[in-house]
Amino acid sequence: QGQSGLLELGRARLALFETFCLPSMLAQSSTDFIWIVRIDPMLDSSLVSDLVEMLQGRQQFFLIGSNANPEGFGRTAVTPFSDYLGDATVLTGNITLLENAYGRSSSSVYLETRLDADDGLHRDFIRTLQLESQLSLMKNGHPVDPWRLWCVHATMEYHPFNPYPETDEVLAAERLLQNGTQPSGYLVMYSDKGICVTPGLTFGYGGRASRESIGFERLRHDQIVKKIKACNKEDDNEVQCVSRLRNLVPGAVRARTATSAGMSNVITGNATYDKTNGLKSRATNAKLIRQYFAQDHLWNGLNQLFSVRKADASHAKSFITERLALIAKENLAGQCTAGHSCKNRTKD
């Protein structure tokens, strides 16, 4: 959104969407959900055509051309569905289904989950959320007024370039690889209790609850865990708190590439710059180093839990690394467009 003229960046993000995001949504064990994919209304027609082809035929998958990102889906004000859509163009999905869901959202439990184009969700993510919300936001079959937030407990990261510390054993293993690198890229799994990562961050509203009732409009990932109390792990009924999805490990996958907006934790392939990366500096972390030598196990898990295929990741890696300079240049330009911040670290 807001970056319609950045074609190289758009193509790279589409490759990641097709590799990580879309397969994980198609594999969800619960199909009782609506997925809204928003794109810039002026996006290049070739990218739009590819997206339509990927999403069409699935009535609950909506591709919407709009730079607006309304949150709450009708819960913040009594607004007609036509006003919610505004001048947006609905390119895929059953519009009647969407309108009916909009009409019901203010009188039922409503779950709103964030997901970027280069992210994916555990195949049981939606089903787990729906079950947990019934315990906390329903009573005797009816929605109660409070709210509850959910974050994933553990995350898998995908890196085209090796993110692991350059210990003697890792360097020796890399030299044995063709071209000195894994053709499919690298996986790292971690759990960070200090933040709520974007993929899987879910706002749950019961009864008359809305974003206003939470008491804030927007908080950074680290602010959520600092300003909202953690739910009691032993109390599934607790509300007005943030809960971790501990039964889904990992709960989400994130691709960290040159397409990433803030370039946080991204390995660039530039040895001088990458030395300052948080992962590269953990040479004494034996648990992290062991993951380097468990890549086959991690890829098997990613396929089973997210339906992400190693061969598709190889294709995405080749696409991005071959166009790396162009993608990075457009990513930097996109930082300063409407709705996107300019980050000094990204420029460096």
Side-chain angles (χ1 to χ4, degrees):
Q1 291 177 309
Q3 302 175 338
S4 60
L6 306 178
L7 192 54
E8 290 290 342
L9 182 62
R11 286 172 175 161
R13 286 178 172 165
L14 182 64
L16 294 173
F17 175 83
E18 188 175 15
T19 300
F20 295 98
C21 191
L22 180 60
S24 77
M25 296 306 291
L26 291 173
Q28 288 298 309
S29 54
S30 169
T31 58
D32 187 17
F33 67 93
I34 283 175
W35 186 25
I36 297 176
V37 180
R38 292 184 176 271
I39 59 173
D40 192 300
M42 301 302 293
L43 188 65
D44 184 85
S45 60
S46 64
L47 297 178
V48 175
S49 296
D50 287 344
L51 280 166
V52 169
E53 184 177 350
M54 293 177 192
L55 298 174
Q56 67 183 355
R58 300 173 178 88
Q59 65 172 355
Q60 81 272 33
F61 288 7
F62 295 91
L63 182 64
I64 296 181
S66 172
N67 279 325
N69 287 292
E71 295 182 325
F73 199 59
R75 297 191 70 96
T76 56
V78 182
T79 305
F81 180 66
S82 57
D83 289 351
Y84 166 77
L85 281 181
D87 59 359
T89 303
V90 181
L91 300 169
T92 67
N94 183 336
I95 191 67
T96 301
L97 176 65
L98 185 63
E99 184 172 7
N100 289 340
Y102 182 86
R104 295 195 308 270
S105 69
S106 61
S107 59
S108 59
V109 170
Y110 170 64
L111 303 172
E112 185 174 58
T113 298
R114 294 180 183 173
L115 185 65
D116 287 341
D118 54 359
D119 300 332
L121 297 174
H122 188 291
R123 65 185 307 275
D124 289 330
F125 181 88
I126 292 175
R127 183 175 65 87
T128 300
L129 268 183
Q130 290 170 340
L131 292 173
E132 290 199 10
S133 66
Q134 289 179 19
L135 295 173
S136 57
L137 301 178
M138 298 278 289
K139 186 174 182 180
N140 298 324
H142 299 284
V144 295
D145 287 344
W147 50 268
R148 182 171 172 142
L149 271 60
W150 284 267
C151 298
V152 299
H153 178 63
T155 307
M156 185 86 78
E157 279 190 353
Y158 168 78
H159 294 264
F161 299 106
N162 184 4
Y164 288 93
E166 295 181 350
T167 64
D168 290 342
E169 55 186 341
V170 169
L171 289 174
E174 287 285 285
R175 286 193 290 269
L176 297 176
L177 299 173
Q178 184 177 3
N179 299 321
T181 184
Q182 293 281 1
S184 52
Y186 301 79
L187 297 176
V188 180
M189 191 164 70
Y190 68 92
S191 178
D192 189 343
K193 298 178 182 179
I195 63 172
C196 284
V197 295
T198 296
L201 174 57
T202 299
F203 293 79
Y205 308 101
R208 293 170 292 180
S210 66
R211 178 58 63 87
E212 286 77 11
S213 62
I214 299 178
F216 66 86
E217 283 297 317
R218 287 184 177 273
L219 288 176
R220 297 195 312 267
H221 303 307
D222 59 321
Q223 290 179 320
I224 290 176
V225 297
K226 291 177 180 177
K227 295 191 175 183
I228 299 178
K229 71 173 183 177
C231 298
N232 186 337
K233 291 185 290 185
E234 309 302 325
D235 186 358
D236 293 331
N237 299 311
E238 189 175 8
V239 292
Q240 295 177 279
C241 57
V242 57
S243 175
R244 297 276 178 176
L245 293 167
R246 289 179 170 80
N247 293 329
L248 305 179
V249 179
V253 58
R254 308 173 73 198
R256 311 309 296 159
T257 73
T259 67
S260 301
M263 294 294 287
S264 174
N265 230 28
V266 172
I267 302 297
T268 65
N270 182 314
T272 301
Y273 179 82
D274 289 339
K275 285 181 180 179
T276 64
N277 185 278
L279 288 171
K280 286 284 190 182
S281 63
R282 300 179 185 177
T284 60
N285 189 322
K287 185 177 181 180
L288 175 63
I289 300 298
R290 283 198 295 271
Q291 288 193 43
Y292 173 86
F293 295 97
Q295 290 297 295
D296 287 343
H297 176 71
L298 293 176
W299 278 108
N300 288 336
L302 192 64
N303 178 252
Q304 293 174 14
L305 301 178
F306 295 81
S307 291
V308 172
R309 301 194 311 168
K310 196 174 182 179
D312 293 335
S314 296
H315 173 74
K317 174 182 175 176
S318 295
F319 187 93
I320 290 173
T321 54
E322 289 170 6
R323 297 167 173 79
L324 188 62
L326 293 173
I327 294 168
K329 183 178 180 180
E330 289 195 352
N331 189 10
L332 177 58
Q335 292 287 312
C336 303
T337 54
H340 299 270
S341 62
C342 295
K343 298 182 175 68
N344 290 330
R345 186 176 186 277
T346 302
K347 293 179 182 180
D348 294 339

